[in-house]
Amino acid sequence: ETNNTYTTKTADISKDITCKVSATNAYGNDGETSNALVPIAYNLASGLHEWNYQNATEVGTTVTAVDSGSIGGLNMTNPTASQKPTLDSNGWTFDGASDVLTKNTTNFRGGDATGVIHCYVNYGSGSSNWFAVANSGDIVNYLVTSAIGIGQVQTNFKGTNIKRTTTIISGMKLISHVQDGVTGSIFLDGVKVLSYANDTLGTNWLNGITTNNISIGATIASSPFYTVAVVKYISYCPYVNNATVTAEANAILNGGL
C-alpha cells in the first residue's frame, strides 16, 4: 500500500515487511527499499501454556489455537465445522451456541496447588466462559474462569466453590485468576480486586480435580456449557508472587494484542 504510515495486522505476523521511499525531480526518479522487519506474535516469557489469537491458524473449517508456551504442545481446535469460532482482528468470537476450541488432555497441570491463569477477553453481556479445565464425563470436576450475567468475574471450582468479584466489568479486560496455595485472588488489568481464603473442599486449584479436557469459549462437561465470549489471549503461568502477577499482566497489556 502507498502511505506515509503502516499499521501491522495479524495477517502480517512472520512475514517480511519493507518500506520503499521514492523520490522524483526534474532529473528523474529513484527509490530505496528498507531492510525487512518481521512482526511476531506476543509471547509471555513465563507462560508455560499460551494461546494467542495472533498465532492461530484457520484451514478450511478448522481453527487452531496454537499453544506457544514454554512447555506448549496443547493446541486446541474446534471438534466439528459447525463449532468453529470466528477468527479475525478482534480475536476468537464464540457464539454461545456451539462454538468451542478444545483439546483432550488428562489432568491438565494436575499436580499444581498454585498457579495463574491470565485471560484477555472482551466481555459484552450474559454469562461468559473464557477458559475451562473440565471432565466430559461429569459436571463435578472443573475449574472455570468466567463472568456471570451482570459482569461479575468469577473463579468457579466444581460449582460449589465460587469466588466472585463485586466489580462489574465491560469491554476488553485482562483478568488474572490466581492461587498461591493459601489464598485465591482475581486481578483486573494487573490490580487485585478480590482475595479469598481457600475453602476446605480440597478443590482450590487444579490438584483438586480430575479432568480430561481444556477449552476456550465453553466448558466441556457431561452437559457442555457454551457461552458468548470474545477472547484474544489465554496463558497459564506458575505463581511466584503478586508483584509478578501484576508485572505479567502489564506485559500482556503492553504486548500489542
Side-chain angles (χ1 to χ4, degrees):
E1 88 183 37
T2 302
N3 212 328
N4 292 329
T5 62
Y6 179 74
T7 301
T8 56
K9 304 180 290 291
T10 300
D12 296 327
I13 290 172
S14 300
K15 296 179 180 178
D16 289 349
I17 304 296
T18 60
C19 173
K20 182 176 182 178
V21 178
S22 300
T24 303
N25 58 25
Y27 298 99
N29 58 72
D30 199 358
E32 290 290 335
T33 300
S34 70
N35 294 330
L37 296 176
V38 182
I40 61 174
Y42 176 74
N43 276 88
L44 187 67
S46 52
L48 302 179
H49 298 278
E50 198 167 14
W51 300 273
N52 182 343
Y53 84 102
Q54 295 172 327
N55 281 327
T57 63
E58 183 171 3
V59 179
T61 59
T62 300
V63 168
T64 301
V66 177
D67 181 0
S68 57
S70 60
I71 293 177
L74 298 179
N75 296 349
M76 288 187 261
T77 60
N78 50 296
T80 67
S82 63
Q83 294 177 286
K84 181 174 74 71
T86 300
L87 173 63
D88 56 25
S89 60
N90 295 313
W92 295 292
T93 300
F94 299 87
D95 65 2
S98 63
D99 289 355
V100 64
L101 296 172
T102 188
K103 169 72 174 178
N104 291 330
T105 184
T106 301
N107 293 335
F108 173 76
R109 305 303 304 174
D112 290 3
T114 66
V116 181
I117 301 171
H118 294 292
C119 308
Y120 195 35
V121 302
N122 189 334
Y123 175 78
S125 62
S127 296
S128 183
N129 283 13
W130 307 307
F131 179 71
V133 184
N135 193 312
S136 59
D138 63 46
I139 196 63
V140 175
N141 287 288
Y142 61 77
L143 183 160
V144 180
T145 62
S146 61
I148 62 171
I150 60 175
Q152 291 174 282
V153 179
Q154 61 184 22
T155 307
N156 187 336
F157 306 93
K158 293 194 173 184
T160 57
N161 186 1
I162 302 173
K163 305 303 180 183
R164 184 175 299 151
T165 69
T166 57
T167 304
I168 307 299
I169 66 166
S170 64
M172 187 62 65
K173 290 289 181 183
L174 191 283
I175 301 161
S176 306
H177 302 260
V178 180
Q179 176 57 244
D180 68 10
V182 178
T183 60
S185 53
I186 295 176
F187 287 61
L188 297 181
D189 289 342
V191 178
K192 184 166 67 174
V193 297
L194 175 69
S195 183
Y196 55 87
N198 287 343
D199 289 349
T200 58
L201 301 175
T203 57
N204 295 298
W205 203 243
L206 295 169
N207 61 328
I209 52 180
T210 302
T211 62
N212 64 16
N213 69 80
I214 55 175
S215 58
I216 300 173
T219 302
I220 305 301
S222 56
S223 297
F225 180 54
Y226 300 97
T227 63
V228 176
V230 179
V231 180
K232 286 194 170 186
Y233 175 90
I234 304 285
S235 65
Y236 184 91
C237 301
Y239 176 80
V240 179
N241 53 46
N242 285 352
T244 300
V245 174
T246 296
E248 290 171 345
N250 289 336
I252 294 166
L253 289 170
N254 294 316
L257 294 171

